[in-house]
Amino acid sequence: MASPSSSTAAATTNIMLAIYEKRTNSLDLYRPLRNYIVINYGEREAQNLEDDLQTLKELRTDIERGPTPADSLPARRDLLQKYYRALCAVESRFPISPDKDHINTVTFTWFDAFKNKQKAAQQNIHLEKAAVLFNLGAVHSQMGLSFDRSGVDGRKQASHAFIAAAGAFAFLRDNVAMKASMGSSASVDVSVECVGMLERLMLAQAQECVFENTIAKGNTPGVCAKISRQVGLYYEEGLAALNVAPLNQHFDKNWLAHVQLKAALFYAEACYRYSLELHEKEEIAEEIARLKSGVAALTEAKKSCPRGAAQQLLDAMTKLESTLNRNLERAVKENERVYLMRVPTASSLPPLPAFSLVKPMPMNEVLDASKEKMFVRLVPDSSAKSLSRYTEMVDDIIRMQAEKLQQASELARVRLKEMDLPDSILALEGNSTLSTDLKEDVEAVQVCGGPAGLEGELQQLKDLRRVDQELLVQTEELLQKEATEDAQFRSQFGTRWTRPQSSTLTKNLLDRLNRFAANLKQAAESDGRIERSVRDHSALMSILDHRPIESALPSLSRPIMSLDANEDAVVGALKQSLRQLETLGAQRAGLEDMLKEMKRKDDILPKLMTLTGSHEDLYRKEIAKYDHICQEIAQNVEGQEQLLMHIQVQNDNFAAVFNLEDFKASREKSYKQIEAAIAKYREIKENINEGLKFYVTLQDAITNIKQQCSDFVMTRNIQCREMIEDVQRHIAGLSFQDNKSTGGYSYPAAGQAHQTPRPNSQQHTEPVHVSNPSHPPTPPYQPQQQPTMAGYAQSPSPYVSPPQQVPPPYHVPASGSPYPPPQHQQQPPVTLEYGQPAYPGWRGPYYNAAPQPGSMPRPPYTVQPPYPPNQSGYYRQ
């Protein structure tokens, strides 16, 4: 078994991915930008900004040249960050677009990083910014791959570089990718889908470095499993993006194979580490299931992944698969020989726990251009202040109008609630409603079978109690039969029958059986109380059988006698007014969306920068765009106020005609009945569930003691035959004497360990036994020694099953909560020292070759507590 300090990841130290930078064509930014400054700001301003223009030109030239062997990666990273901040300064001051009034002679061209023959060209700065951010992430990934990851410090540096790469791709996805993807010419490598996939890939490699360090530090298997599982999750997210458009046809199959195998490898690694922890906890059933799941993942990945994966990665998978299979084989053998646990299916297992120790590095501060000095003179302070003032004016308008809309909607809701609308209208049509919480509670009861389903569950209680009783009777009959046979031989042979009486050896077993019988009796009484509770409250709970539950609610009836027969007119007018109110509410929602959309599109910076007149005139002209929406909002609010007053009058008339107060009282009574029925159903349901749990637990306990009794009886039968032969030889004159006790056998009490008598070196003994070739003497039965369980590399200690405990009897308290807190009863230990050699039997988890302190259960016949810990005392005697 592989040592936990070793890792399959160590074999894949150099198997990580780096991303190459995008390439671009040469471009002159100097001349177009300078011309724009001359036209809009004058030649003098262009001369003042000459240094900034030259700096921008040099930055662009360095970007075009691409990385060279002489350039260091940190220097390349700094260049990209500086150029991105310069582009942000350019974007806010130079409008680059095909518009004739803008800078329309600049076209940015970039080639795809993964399909070198594909290129995108756009007349806006968004593609340029996206490409620079992409290259920044690529450089960080190359830095991560350049560090020596054979040591702890190197792995930390690599992890930090991959985190920075993930941060660059995340910043690109959230801020620029969508804008760069607009237009007829777009590049897949800077799309939202692609950079999102690359972010996941970089996080996976960063977490992988953390995992390698965790293994090197010797952390526990549980911690290693969580970190490894998170590595697999990041690779799985990247793989999911690679398998759908637009990436499924864009990447080389080597990429897909690498990511798919890495996802399977680290999932299997997590299964392996987690199985080591399960081994320590002696949970062998789940351990087997986890190992099988890991093997299946590796096998499936090898079959389904495309060709092109690195051989080093395939070797690592083969090595891990061998380790998993070896551990699985040993675990299965131990389970078949010792534990006999039921192995759960892979689908029933909970997801493996995962813990992420990495996240994308925030790039806002690194890429913040607010303090960039480039072209700072181009926008006058007056223009910046003017823009800020206009923005404040717009924000005030949006805030005031939004408050009006929200207040109007809240007022309508409160007024309708006070008038009990539209619930009273729905009740008149037979469509009564329940509150959401109460309806969900009723549906939960009905899904479980409702009150009608309690009879079937009560029958399950009876059936389980009958099975437990039959097992108990069968066990008692085993001991009684053996005791009867022992008494017969004792009567027949008299003093020659020297072995202990059965009643002496089976006292502890009989005591436990008596306690089980008492538990069953008490449980039967509790079952009876539950049945009476179901009968007594069947009328109350019957309301829950209505489907739908609204059919159990009272409906608003028309008056028996009417003087003017105007009920239909009253209802119709009220419905019409409610529809109008609903229409006004929908209009308010649309008006609020219009306000937000207008504010989002309202950008007057280009106008401010080119304005030659008064700023106040521009403000009035631009603010006027919001006047018509403000007028519509005012009309909506005023119309709602008038409509609500009209609805109040109509509702008063409606309540008088249909006697609404009596209906409300009847409906409230039904609500309370439903709530009471749900509470009683839950109480009974919990009691039944506890009873079912009690009987299942008791059945396991009785089955266990029955097996112990069977082993005891078998041992006594073997010893009986041997003693009969000895007695017969004595009678026939073939017996022999020695200084040992007659018969040579002593019999321990049930559960007493074998005690080997110490020979007396000073006492002279002469063997006088006469061997009978046809009947060789049967030696005392020694339990077959269990082989020492070869532990996994993590821990050599054997599994030890928890001791079987007796479930408590249950009862329904007369008052208060039906589940009193557990009261653990202290049982005095039973001393069983008879000094006789052992008889065969009871070799399961109770006897082990190498007992471990604190891990072994009590002997099988030691008196155990009458109920398991942490179980309710509902069935307690």
Side-chain angles (χ1 to χ4, degrees):
M1 183 179 304
S3 172
S5 61
S6 65
S7 170
T8 57
T12 64
T13 297
N14 296 319
I15 306 301
M16 286 189 180
L17 298 179
I19 302 164
Y20 293 108
E21 290 186 40
K22 292 169 65 67
R23 294 184 298 104
T24 185
N25 290 337
S26 298
L27 177 66
D28 180 22
L29 287 176
Y30 174 88
R31 185 56 54 187
L33 296 186
R34 193 179 193 285
N35 292 339
Y36 181 85
I37 296 173
V38 172
I39 295 173
N40 292 277
Y41 300 95
E43 178 62 27
R44 183 176 180 179
E45 190 67 31
Q47 292 176 0
N48 292 334
L49 296 173
E50 183 67 24
D51 291 341
D52 291 343
L53 290 172
Q54 287 292 341
T55 300
L56 181 65
K57 179 181 179 180
E58 292 172 2
L59 290 174
R60 173 67 187 182
T61 302
D62 292 338
I63 294 294
E64 294 169 359
R65 187 176 66 250
T68 62
D71 295 337
S72 67
L73 291 174
R76 186 70 179 175
R77 173 201 62 196
D78 296 340
L79 170 66
L80 291 166
Q81 292 176 354
K82 186 175 181 179
Y83 182 59
Y84 181 83
R85 292 192 294 267
L87 289 176
C88 291
V90 171
E91 181 182 21
S92 63
R93 294 164 175 84
F94 300 94
I96 301 176
S97 75
D99 193 284
K100 64 178 182 178
D101 296 328
H102 293 173
I103 302 175
N104 52 20
T105 60
V106 174
T107 301
F108 297 101
T109 303
W110 286 90
F111 293 87
D112 194 287
F114 307 104
K115 299 287 186 180
N116 295 331
K117 295 182 180 181
Q118 297 181 9
K119 65 179 180 178
Q122 295 184 14
Q123 283 182 290
N124 64 68
I125 204 168
H126 302 308
L127 177 61
E128 183 83 346
K129 292 173 65 178
V132 172
L133 288 175
F134 183 93
N135 285 354
L136 179 60
V139 168
H140 278 297
S141 73
Q142 296 169 23
M143 292 174 63
L145 215 61
S146 67
F147 291 111
D148 180 14
R149 289 183 292 114
S150 61
V152 173
D153 293 337
R155 287 190 288 264
K156 287 183 179 179
Q157 294 173 330
S159 177
H160 188 272
F162 289 131
I163 289 172
F169 290 123
F171 188 89
L172 169 58
R173 178 197 62 204
D174 298 335
N175 296 279
V176 187
M178 186 62 70
K179 298 177 183 178
S181 299
M182 299 175 64
S184 58
S185 180
S187 183
V188 174
D189 57 353
V190 294
S191 65
V192 174
E193 296 81 2
C194 184
V195 295
M197 182 275 296
L198 294 177
E199 177 205 12
R200 297 289 99 180
L201 177 60
M202 294 299 104
L203 289 176
Q205 297 188 159
Q207 182 88 358
E208 187 174 345
C209 293
V210 174
F211 173 73
E212 293 174 2
N213 269 350
T214 304
I215 296 299
K217 293 178 182 178
N219 287 78
T220 62
V223 172
C224 296
K226 292 179 181 179
I227 297 176
S228 175
R229 182 63 191 118
Q230 186 60 54
V231 178
L233 290 176
Y234 282 139
Y235 276 117
E236 289 171 11
E237 292 170 0
L239 179 63
L242 286 171
N243 282 326
V244 297
L247 307 184
N248 55 347
Q249 301 297 327
H250 195 73
F251 280 82
D252 188 87
K253 291 184 178 181
N254 293 345
W255 274 71
L256 186 62
H258 176 88
V259 176
Q260 183 175 352
L261 291 181
K262 275 296 186 79
L265 176 66
F266 280 93
Y267 171 79
E269 181 77 17
C271 291
Y272 166 67
R273 300 287 167 182
Y274 194 67
S275 70
L276 295 179
E277 185 180 54
L278 293 172
H279 185 79
E280 294 177 355
K281 296 179 180 179
E282 302 176 357
E283 298 175 4
I284 192 168
E286 185 178 353
E287 178 191 5
I288 294 174
R290 293 294 184 187
L291 291 172
K292 288 182 177 179
S293 180
V295 172
L298 292 176
T299 303
E300 179 62 25
K302 288 183 177 180
K303 291 182 180 178
S304 60
C305 79
R307 294 183 178 180
Q311 185 62 40
Q312 202 170 352
L313 181 57
L314 295 173
D315 294 341
M317 296 186 68
T318 302
K319 179 180 177 181
L320 178 58
E321 185 178 11
S322 175
T323 301
L324 290 171
N325 282 323
R326 183 166 63 253
N327 289 6
L328 175 61
E329 181 180 359
R330 297 183 181 181
V332 169
K333 289 181 179 179
E334 291 178 4
N335 191 42
E336 291 176 350
R337 295 176 179 176
V338 180
Y339 299 97
L340 303 178
M341 292 183 181
R342 177 181 174 273
V343 179
T345 60
S347 59
S348 66
L349 295 174
L352 285 171
F355 185 71
S356 176
L357 293 176
V358 297
K359 63 180 180 180
M361 178 185 296
M363 305 297 289
N364 294 326
E365 183 176 352
V366 176
L367 301 176
D368 183 18
S370 61
K371 298 180 180 180
E372 185 65 38
K373 300 301 182 181
M374 185 174 291
F375 302 113
V376 69
R377 295 165 51 98
L378 191 59
V379 179
D381 292 341
S382 58
S383 297
K385 293 178 180 179
S386 298
L387 177 62
S388 176
R389 182 183 175 189
Y390 175 78
T391 303
E392 291 178 357
M393 294 170 63
V394 173
D395 290 342
D396 290 341
I397 293 175
I398 298 297
R399 182 171 56 255
M400 292 175 59
Q401 299 304 317
E403 289 177 355
K404 288 182 179 180
L405 293 172
Q406 294 173 1
Q407 291 172 359
S409 298
E410 182 65 15
L411 177 63
R413 186 190 67 81
V414 172
R415 293 288 297 277
L416 289 178
K417 185 68 175 179
E418 293 174 350
M419 293 183 283
D420 200 24
L421 291 174
D423 291 348
S424 56
I425 298 294
L426 295 174
L428 180 63
E429 298 173 348
N431 297 323
S432 299
T433 60
L434 285 175
S435 65
T436 302
D437 293 340
L438 190 57
K439 184 175 178 62
E440 290 177 354
D441 289 342
V442 173
E443 290 176 349
V445 171
Q446 292 177 346
V447 167
C448 294
L454 294 177
E455 293 297 333
E457 297 186 7
L458 288 174
Q459 185 60 44
Q460 291 181 20
L461 282 178
K462 295 178 182 178
D463 294 341
L464 287 173
R465 185 173 70 244
R466 176 181 53 78
V467 171
D468 288 354
Q469 188 65 46
E470 291 175 355
L471 283 173
L472 194 61
V473 171
Q474 294 170 6
T475 305
E476 292 174 345
E477 289 176 351
L478 282 175
L479 297 180
Q480 292 173 358
K481 181 179 178 182
E482 194 280 329
T484 301
E485 293 176 353
D486 181 70
Q488 291 176 353
F489 286 116
R490 193 175 303 280
S491 174
Q492 178 180 353
F493 295 107
T495 57
R496 295 186 180 90
W497 196 256
T498 59
R499 71 173 184 173
Q501 295 183 2
S502 296
S503 59
T504 301
L505 302 178
T506 60
K507 181 180 182 301
N508 290 325
L509 292 173
L510 292 173
D511 288 345
R512 291 174 66 187
L513 293 176
N514 291 335
R515 285 198 302 276
F516 289 165
N519 290 341
L520 278 175
K521 180 180 179 182
Q522 184 67 24
E525 296 174 359
S526 297
D527 292 348
R529 286 191 289 270
I530 294 177
E531 294 177 6
R532 289 193 297 273
S533 180
V534 172
R535 290 194 301 270
D536 294 344
H537 298 93
S538 60
L540 171 65
M541 295 187 295
S542 62
I543 193 172
L544 300 178
D545 287 325
H546 289 80
R547 295 175 184 267
I549 189 60
E550 289 81 3
S551 62
L553 299 176
S555 58
L556 183 59
S557 304
R558 294 177 177 273
I560 299 175
M561 297 182 62
S562 177
L563 298 178
D564 51 7
N566 66 341
E567 295 88 356
D568 292 339
V570 170
V571 174
L574 184 56
K575 286 183 177 180
Q576 180 63 27
S577 297
L578 291 175
R579 283 194 289 269
Q580 294 176 5
L581 186 65
E582 184 178 356
T583 301
L584 290 176
Q587 290 178 359
R588 285 195 299 275
L591 290 172
E592 188 173 4
D593 291 340
M594 289 177 61
L595 276 174
K596 295 178 180 179
E597 184 65 16
M598 286 189 66
K599 182 179 183 297
R600 186 181 69 83
K601 296 181 178 180
D602 192 5
D603 181 13
I604 68 168
L605 179 60
K607 296 180 181 180
L608 284 173
M609 296 179 65
T610 58
L611 181 67
T612 57
S614 172
H615 286 172
E616 296 297 329
D617 294 339
L618 180 63
Y619 294 157
R620 285 192 294 269
K621 179 181 178 181
E622 295 296 328
I623 289 295
K625 296 182 295 186
Y626 297 90
D627 290 346
H628 72 283
I629 296 183
C630 295
Q631 292 175 1
E632 291 183 18
I633 291 175
Q635 293 174 1
N636 183 284
V637 173
E638 183 179 358
Q640 177 179 274
E641 291 177 354
Q642 296 177 358
L643 184 58
L644 284 173
M645 291 188 293
H646 187 56
I647 291 175
Q648 181 68 60
V649 175
Q650 292 177 327
N651 188 65
D652 293 342
N653 189 18
F654 173 80
V657 171
F658 288 90
N659 194 12
L660 200 57
E661 293 301 323
D662 291 346
F663 162 73
K664 290 181 180 179
S666 177
R667 183 181 58 184
E668 188 64 26
K669 181 180 178 181
S670 297
Y671 288 164
K672 291 182 178 179
Q673 182 182 354
I674 293 174
E675 292 172 352
I678 292 174
K680 180 53 66 176
Y681 174 85
R682 288 175 173 172
E683 176 186 335
I684 294 174
K685 180 74 172 178
E686 289 174 358
N687 292 341
I688 292 177
N689 288 341
E690 189 172 349
L692 294 173
K693 181 180 178 181
F694 165 79
Y695 284 123
V696 170
T697 306
L698 183 62
Q699 183 176 337
D700 293 339
I702 296 177
T703 302
N704 182 47
I705 196 172
K706 181 181 178 183
Q707 180 61 45
Q708 296 173 8
C709 292
S710 298
D711 293 343
F712 172 75
V713 171
M714 180 186 68
T715 301
R716 294 279 286 183
N717 289 340
I718 294 174
Q719 295 168 345
C720 177
R721 291 195 300 270
E722 294 177 352
M723 179 161 281
I724 290 175
E725 293 178 359
D726 285 347
V727 171
Q728 289 176 346
R729 285 196 296 270
H730 277 303
I731 294 174
L734 298 177
S735 62
F736 50 86
Q737 297 293 333
D738 62 7
N739 62 337
K740 297 182 182 180
S741 60
T742 304
Y745 292 96
S746 58
Y747 303 89
Q752 178 68 32
H754 172 59
Q755 303 290 333
T756 303
R758 177 179 297 177
N760 189 345
S761 60
Q762 297 178 356
Q763 182 178 2
H764 179 70
T765 59
E766 295 181 2
V768 293
H769 290 280
V770 179
S771 300
N772 188 339
S774 62
H775 296 284
T778 302
Y781 186 91
Q782 296 295 332
Q784 181 181 358
Q785 294 295 327
Q786 294 294 321
T788 300
M789 291 176 287
Y792 288 46
Q794 177 65 19
S795 174
S797 61
Y799 287 107
V800 180
S801 296
Q804 184 69 35
Q805 297 180 321
V806 183
Y810 69 111
H811 67 280
V812 180
S815 62
S817 173
Y819 310 104
Q823 300 174 359
H824 297 282
Q825 300 178 2
Q826 298 295 331
Q827 295 292 335
V830 179
T831 303
L832 307 172
E833 299 180 355
Y834 294 96
Q836 288 85 5
Y839 54 89
W842 306 292
R843 286 303 298 174
Y846 297 110
Y847 292 84
N848 289 273
Q852 300 296 325
S855 65
M856 297 297 292
R858 290 185 292 271
Y861 304 125
T862 301
V863 177
Q864 300 182 1
Y867 55 92
N870 301 323
Q871 181 170 332
S872 171
Y874 188 70
Y875 276 71
R876 190 176 306 151
Q877 187 174 5

